[in-house]
Amino acid sequence: RINQQVIHVSEHQSKQNERKELQEGRRREAITAATCLTEALVDHLNVGVAKAYVNQRKLDHEVKTLQVQAGQFSKQTGQWISMVEGFNQALKEIGDVENWARSIEMDMRTIATALEYVHKGQLTSASS
């Protein structure tokens, strides 16, 4: 009877050892699977971060380009405004010259009319 109990205990310990080994194997598999999952998640996040970084660099470059172009456009617009102001000034000067010419023309007509009148008066008095 004691032999049977010893065998029974021995079988029980043997089965318990098998279960422990099985559990240890499953624990290692679970750790390996968790590690793989963690690495995959980190890799996925790193790809997203890398894309965000590349996009940010592109945006920074585009902003700098836009700033340069805006500065050039502002300078060109200033030049255009100066040209238009110069053109307006030239038009005003042309208008001033035109008014001056009209004034001189009126004065010349007045003088011409007066000379004509005097000339006719002289002709009339000479014929009488």
Side-chain angles (χ1 to χ4, degrees):
R1 179 149 178 127
I2 292 180
N3 273 346
Q4 278 183 337
Q5 286 178 346
V6 169
I7 292 174
H8 213 28
V9 168
S10 180
E11 286 176 5
H12 176 72
Q13 286 176 345
S14 176
K15 285 182 183 179
Q16 218 175 7
N17 285 339
E18 286 177 19
R19 283 189 201 129
K20 281 183 184 179
E21 287 178 19
L22 184 62
Q23 280 182 326
E24 184 61 29
R26 288 180 181 162
R27 187 180 73 78
R28 278 188 241 129
E29 287 176 9
I31 289 173
T32 302
T35 302
C36 288
L37 176 63
T38 303
E39 288 175 358
L41 289 173
V42 168
D43 287 346
H44 179 71
L45 289 175
N46 284 341
V47 168
V49 168
K51 284 182 183 176
Y53 178 75
V54 167
N55 288 341
Q56 183 62 43
R57 293 210 23 151
K58 286 180 183 176
L59 285 174
D60 288 344
H61 177 73
E62 291 296 322
V63 165
K64 287 178 185 176
T65 301
L66 185 59
Q67 286 174 336
V68 168
Q69 289 175 348
Q72 290 171 346
F73 180 71
S74 177
K75 183 178 177 181
Q76 189 175 29
T77 302
Q79 290 172 344
W80 289 344
I81 288 172
S82 294
M83 286 174 52
V84 168
E85 287 174 351
F87 181 70
N88 282 339
Q89 185 61 37
L91 285 178
K92 285 179 187 176
E93 289 172 5
I94 288 173
D96 291 345
V97 169
E98 187 178 358
N99 286 337
W100 175 77
R102 279 192 198 136
S103 177
I104 288 180
E105 184 181 5
M106 295 274 291
D107 289 346
M108 290 300 190
R109 284 181 193 219
T110 302
I111 292 171
T113 302
L115 287 174
E116 230 179 274
Y117 180 72
V118 168
H119 182 66
K120 281 184 186 176
Q122 286 179 351
L123 286 176
T124 312
S125 54
S127 43
S128 355

